[in-house]
């Protein structure tokens, strides 16, 4: 995000369409498991709650790591 | 999308929505009934005849006395029964002494107390009386009896049934073979009569009563999940008590409209068979009704009437295929009374089964004996069924829909259900510290 002439400018790196589809699928996957975790908690299903919460955090972590590694690679290439 | 596109598509969509609402709002009675009556989810298919068929040559009316409650002494043996009762009493004392959770005085008092309304009725007795208790008939009010099309009348009845506590309601044409041939030592007969009546030898149902209104009543899932304890028994008992209130209320309502109504819970005939005909569910491995919305977590009851009603159709949601690969109920049954066989068949297990229909028949005396053995009944088969779910997360609906449409996934879903810990026994101790819904049931379940 850059401040130019009183405007905030966001830069979104160009990516092939399949990457955007993968990102969307990842977000939907996270939302799905978050919903399952919350629902299981409301249902008092302890094991289901912990399993879904674990899947959610693992997915979040793996996705963020993947993104972060890709970002670093890009930064190195730009230099 | 530019600004022009935004207005073009945005306003267009808004127009469709508003137009749709207006069109919907000016519909006739039929469209009103379709909207407000309970509808099964989209993945439930309506079929012509129930999936587990009937052998027309064999299927006939069953004598109530032959069921396991009526003839346990004969099936189990007097000596064995005495021994069992003795063991049960000793265990009960031991559990009191140990203050075993789920078997303490407060647990048992709750289970007994939950029967209280159910005990007000019996076959043509009290709340299940075949004639009006107090409701004023149209004649007494000086008006004509209620007149409407069968669709309108079915809508009216379903709305009233829901008001009196039904989770789902369906209407079937009464198959007289579902009605007991004899009960309480009297012959149950169909005769040309204006009103149902009982004399020294007969219980008479008027032939004009051709409609059976079948209803499910939700049982509290948190209670049943504690099976086998007195807390789970309390779940069954309150289900029966709510059935009693429901059939009593609905029967009086129908009489108030000027028609005949015969309320019934487990008496008079097979509620399961009538509920299957009325499209409330399918017959599962337990030889009991499994509803697509609530699984086996329901009690059944019925009202027979001469009020002409639009009929519902039997349903298919892939349960038979699921039960073939699941067997969770059989595995969890401490008495081993539930069939492990791959396919349902016409082969009965004993006199307590009514022959002539295809099913996974159960060894009922073993089941009832375990009720005594456990000292407080058992509902394990209901608690562990993968169709028993609170619908607080959309994954259950997704799995049910996928199971109904792609039976090849059934085994996978069953093993996932187990891995996620569904169906494990819950603590009866914790039950007392849970903030329950009224009657222990979430009445919004299956309604979205």
């Amino acid at each position: 995000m850059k401040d130019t002439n009183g405007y905030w400018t966001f830069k979104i790196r160009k990516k092939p369409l399949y990457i955007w589809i993968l990102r969307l699928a990842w977000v939907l996957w996270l939302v799905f498991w978050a919903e399952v975790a919350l629902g299981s908690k409301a249902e008092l299903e302890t094991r289901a709650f912990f399993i879904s919460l674990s899947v959610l955090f693992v997915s979040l972590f793996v996705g963020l790591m993947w993104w972060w590694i890709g970002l670093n690679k890009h930064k190195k290439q730009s230099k | 999308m530019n600004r022009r596109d935004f207005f073009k598509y945005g306003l267009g969509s808004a127009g469709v929505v508003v137009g749709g609402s207006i069109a919907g709002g000016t519909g006739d009675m039929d469209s009103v009934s379709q909207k407000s009556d309970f509808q099964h989810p989209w993945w439930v298919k309506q079929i012509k005849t129930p999936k587990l068929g009937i052998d027309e040559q064999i299927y006939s009316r069953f004598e109530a006395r032959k069921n396991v409650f009526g003839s346990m002494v004969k099936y189990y043996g007097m000596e064995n029964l005495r021994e069992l009762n003795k063991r049960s009493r000793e265990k009960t004392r031991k559990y009191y002494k140990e203050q075993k959770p789920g078997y303490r005085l407060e647990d048992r008092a709750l289970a007994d107390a939950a029967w209280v309304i159910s005990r007000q009725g019996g076959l043509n007795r009290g709340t299940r009386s075949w004639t009006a208790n107090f409701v004023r008939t149209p004649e007494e009010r000086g008006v004509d009896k209620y007149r409407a099309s069968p669709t309108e009348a079915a809508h009216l009845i379903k709305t009233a049934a829901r008001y009196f506590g039904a989770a789902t309601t369906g209407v079937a044409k009464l198959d007289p073979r579902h009605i007991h041939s004899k009960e309480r030592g009297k012959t149950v007969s169909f005769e040309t009569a204006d009103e149902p009546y009982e004399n020294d030898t007969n219980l008479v149902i008027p032939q004009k009563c051709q409609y059976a209104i079948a209803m499910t009543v939700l049982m509290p899932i948190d209670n049943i999940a504690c099976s086998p304890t007195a807390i789970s028994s309390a779940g069954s008992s309150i289900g029966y008590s709510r059935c009693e209130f429901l059939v009593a209320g609905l029967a009086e309502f129908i009489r108030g409209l000027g028609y005949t109504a015969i309320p019934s819970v487990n008496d008079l005939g097979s509620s399961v068979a009538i509920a299957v005909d009325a499209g409330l569910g399918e017959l599962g491995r337990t030889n009991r009704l499994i509803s697509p919305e609530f699984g086996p977590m329901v009690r059944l009851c019925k009202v027979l009437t001469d009020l002409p009603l639009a009929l519902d159709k039997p349903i298919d949601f892939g349960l038979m295929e699921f039960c073939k690969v699941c067997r969770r109920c059989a595995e969890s049954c401490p008495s081993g009374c539930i069939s492990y066989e791959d396919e349902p068949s016409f082969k009965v297990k004993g006199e307590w089964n009514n022959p002539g229909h295809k099913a996974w028949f159960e060894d009922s005396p073993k089941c009832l004996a375990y009720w005594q053995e456990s000292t407080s009944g058992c509902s394990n088969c209901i608690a562990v069924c993968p169709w028993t779910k609170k619908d607080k997360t959309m994954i259950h609906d997704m799995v049910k829909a996928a199971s109904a449409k792609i039976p090849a996934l059934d085994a996978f879903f069953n093993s996932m259900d187990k891995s996620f810990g569904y169906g494990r026994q819950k603590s009866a101790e914790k039950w007392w510290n849970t903030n329950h819904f009224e009657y222990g049931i979430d009445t919004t379940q299956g309604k979205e």
Side-chain angles (χ1 to χ4, degrees):
Chain A
M1 198 163 60
K2 216 167 137 186
D3 189 3
T4 45
N5 300 328
Y7 290 93
W8 290 113
T9 312
F10 293 92
K11 276 186 179 177
I12 298 172
R13 193 148 49 98
K14 278 183 186 169
K15 286 277 180 188
L17 181 66
Y18 81 92
I19 293 285
W20 286 106
I21 292 172
L22 275 178
R23 283 177 179 173
L24 180 69
W26 176 64
V27 171
L28 290 177
W29 176 258
L30 293 179
V31 170
F32 172 75
W33 284 106
E35 196 270 350
V36 174
L38 288 173
S40 304
K41 192 169 185 285
E43 288 176 351
L44 309 175
E45 294 290 349
T46 327
R47 194 194 281 189
F49 170 67
F50 281 114
I51 292 176
S52 40
L53 206 64
S54 308
V55 174
L56 173 69
F57 283 128
V58 169
S59 308
L60 187 69
F61 179 73
V62 169
L64 287 176
M65 285 304 286
W66 193 357
W67 177 67
W68 186 70
I69 289 167
L71 196 70
N72 278 352
K73 213 193 268 176
H74 174 74
K75 275 182 184 168
K76 271 182 197 167
Q77 280 167 0
S78 310
K79 280 176 188 172
Chain B
M1 184 187 277
N2 58 30
R3 197 164 58 111
R4 184 182 296 215
D5 284 344
F6 174 77
F7 280 107
K8 194 167 108 190
Y9 296 121
L11 290 180
S13 314
V16 169
V17 171
V18 172
S21 322
I22 292 168
T26 55
D28 59 5
M29 187 62 198
D30 281 357
S31 64
V32 170
S33 71
Q34 277 167 11
K35 263 197 248 165
S36 57
D37 284 349
F38 176 83
Q39 304 280 326
H40 288 299
W42 62 271
W43 39 268
V44 176
K45 203 167 59 183
Q46 289 195 331
I47 51 177
K48 267 189 172 176
T49 51
K51 223 168 163 195
L52 293 172
I54 279 178
D55 184 334
E56 300 292 339
Q57 307 296 319
I58 299 175
Y59 189 64
S60 59
R61 293 172 64 192
F62 187 67
E63 200 183 326
R65 190 174 49 87
K66 284 187 187 170
N67 79 25
V68 71
F69 296 101
S71 298
M72 186 60 176
V73 177
K74 182 182 164 192
Y75 300 142
Y76 202 71
M78 182 54 103
E79 204 43 52
N80 289 339
L81 208 56
R82 262 197 208 119
E83 195 57 38
L84 180 67
N85 287 337
K86 195 179 151 207
R87 258 201 324 273
S88 180
R89 279 194 301 272
E90 283 165 7
K91 265 191 187 173
T92 306
R93 273 196 295 273
K94 185 171 162 257
Y95 291 164
Y96 276 137
K97 216 172 164 187
E98 291 171 356
Q99 283 289 292
K100 190 173 175 174
Y103 300 89
R104 296 164 305 186
L105 177 66
E106 55 268 46
D107 305 316
R108 291 185 193 275
L110 184 80
D112 284 355
W115 279 109
V116 68
I117 306 299
S118 180
R119 293 283 187 252
Q120 305 304 311
L123 178 64
N124 193 20
R125 294 278 181 274
T127 38
R128 261 177 271 166
S129 165
W130 288 8
T131 48
N133 272 315
F134 70 92
V135 76
R136 289 165 69 198
T137 61
E139 213 173 28
E140 287 166 340
R141 291 178 198 270
V143 294
D144 285 344
K145 58 159 57 171
Y146 171 79
R147 303 243 179 243
S149 74
T151 310
E152 286 171 343
H155 167 68
L156 191 85
I157 292 299
K158 286 175 182 178
T159 305
R162 178 96 186 110
Y163 176 69
F164 286 118
T168 52
T169 309
V171 181
K173 189 150 182 25
L174 177 64
D175 183 339
R177 293 173 301 178
H178 297 335
I179 299 298
H180 294 148
S181 56
K182 267 185 151 188
E183 192 156 352
R184 249 205 291 115
K186 295 183 182 182
T187 303
V188 183
S189 56
F190 288 87
E191 288 175 18
T192 317
D194 274 344
E195 288 301 321
Y197 66 90
E198 180 180 354
N199 57 28
D200 291 344
T201 56
N202 284 58
L203 286 149
V204 178
I205 300 172
Q207 267 167 349
K208 63 178 182 173
C209 289
Q210 291 187 11
Y211 300 89
I213 304 159
M215 291 159 287
T216 60
V217 164
L218 261 178
M219 288 194 286
I221 197 163
D222 288 331
N223 286 67
I224 303 293
C226 299
S227 172
T229 59
I231 293 292
S232 66
S233 294
S236 301
S237 340
I238 203 158
Y240 279 119
S241 279
R242 292 186 54 239
C243 279
E244 200 67 48
F245 177 74
L246 167 59
V247 293
L250 191 67
E252 287 285 274
F253 173 66
I254 293 170
R255 290 170 195 139
L257 299 176
Y259 294 86
T260 299
I262 302 177
S264 155
V265 184
N266 279 356
D267 54 316
L268 193 60
S270 168
S271 298
V272 177
I274 291 172
V276 168
D277 282 355
L280 296 186
E282 282 189 71
L283 208 57
R285 183 176 281 278
T286 48
N287 198 13
R288 299 288 180 273
L289 185 100
I290 312 275
S291 124
E293 297 83 14
F294 316 112
M297 193 57 67
V298 288
R299 288 280 155 215
L300 301 175
C301 52
K302 54 203 178 282
V303 174
L304 311 184
T305 182
D306 60 336
L307 170 64
L309 298 167
L311 304 178
D312 292 297
K313 286 182 181 156
I315 56 169
D316 171 14
F317 55 99
L319 182 79
M320 196 174 87
E321 286 72 22
F322 189 89
C323 286
K324 280 182 192 173
V325 298
C326 175
R327 296 188 179 86
R328 291 271 288 284
C329 50
E331 288 162 6
S332 75
C333 177
S335 71
C337 81
I338 299 173
S339 169
Y340 272 93
E341 282 156 36
D342 291 337
E343 297 283 336
S345 73
F346 286 102
K347 210 176 140 200
V348 294
K349 288 272 164 64
E351 270 183 75
W352 51 86
N353 296 136
N354 189 13
H357 70 98
K358 218 175 183 185
W360 279 284
F361 286 104
E362 77 286 14
D363 202 339
S364 306
K366 281 187 185 172
C367 176
L368 195 56
Y370 183 75
W371 288 15
Q372 285 288 94
E373 195 75 55
S374 79
T375 75
S376 62
C378 175
S379 307
N380 282 11
C381 54
I382 300 173
V384 300
C385 179
W387 290 84
T388 294
K389 291 281 178 291
K390 297 177 184 173
D391 64 353
K392 294 286 170 210
T393 157
M394 63 182 171
I395 194 169
H396 302 317
D397 269 344
M398 289 164 75
V399 169
K400 285 180 178 183
S403 167
K405 296 294 173 193
I406 318 164
L409 294 173
D410 288 345
F412 168 72
F413 288 145
N414 180 35
S415 65
M416 287 304 283
D417 192 84
K418 251 191 228 177
S419 309
F420 271 65
Y422 290 107
R424 289 191 307 168
Q425 192 194 27
K426 298 270 165 63
S427 155
E429 184 95 63
K430 278 186 187 163
W431 184 89
W432 287 101
N433 298 316
T434 306
N435 187 13
H436 299 286
F437 289 106
E438 293 88 339
Y439 303 111
I441 56 164
D442 178 3
T443 55
T444 63
Q445 187 168 350
K447 300 294 180 297
E448 285 95 64

